[in-house]
Amino acid sequence: WPQVLKLISVAEGDWITAVMLGAYCGMRLGDCVNLKWENVNLDEDLIRFVPEKTSRGKRRKELTVPIHPALKLHLEALKKTATDGQPYLCPALQGKSISGRSGLSKAFIEDVMAKAGINNQAKSSKVTGKGRAFSSLSFHSLRHSFNSELANKGVSQELRRHLTGHATDKMNDVYSHLDKKLLKTAVNKLPAKSPSQAG
């Protein structure tokens, strides 16, 4: 989470809003930049939206995510300065391609992450016989951080799935990175008896 806070502190313009939505709502980059004010209810502290990934057919499902107090403060300030008639929260980013050499994903890595001093180590993977480079850290990592931080704070998988929109526990497991200290604390709860005490 310290890296998330660092990203928020160095982000500028619409990237601040996008990073905060990713961190505090677990939203994908495309959903962040296409979010409209009509999806935000500051009176009820709720954001309602249909993720682009599941926006078609039987998988279509609206998610309702409570607004974190830090995000609410930001959105309230943003609302006061928003241009009348501008439907999007991130108008400077909206409509731009997410992937590709000049896409928002790359811009996030090269601009925001680099400014935050977060090292992005590119990895290589073989996919059906073709080499494909992918980033170990990206905007999508904020979605992992959102889910993992909730898991480490004891939020049940059922609630985490409800917030992220994951269809299965197995998919949610991919996004759950438990803190090593938390795991150690769990193991240390086992009763202890040394060999010398046995018998």
Side-chain angles (χ1 to χ4, degrees), residues 3 5 50 55 66 90 114 120 126 149 174 176 183:
Q3 285 185 327
L5 297 178
V50 177
S55 63
C90 302
N120 177 54
K126 292 282 184 181
E149 191 68 15
V174 174
S176 300
L183 294 174

Side-chain angles (χ1 to χ4, degrees), residues 30-46:
D31 293 325
C32 293
V33 301
N34 290 310
L35 191 70
K36 295 182 176 182
W37 283 109
E38 67 187 42
N39 301 108
V40 179
N41 188 326
L42 292 172
D43 293 328
E44 294 181 12
D45 294 339
L46 295 173

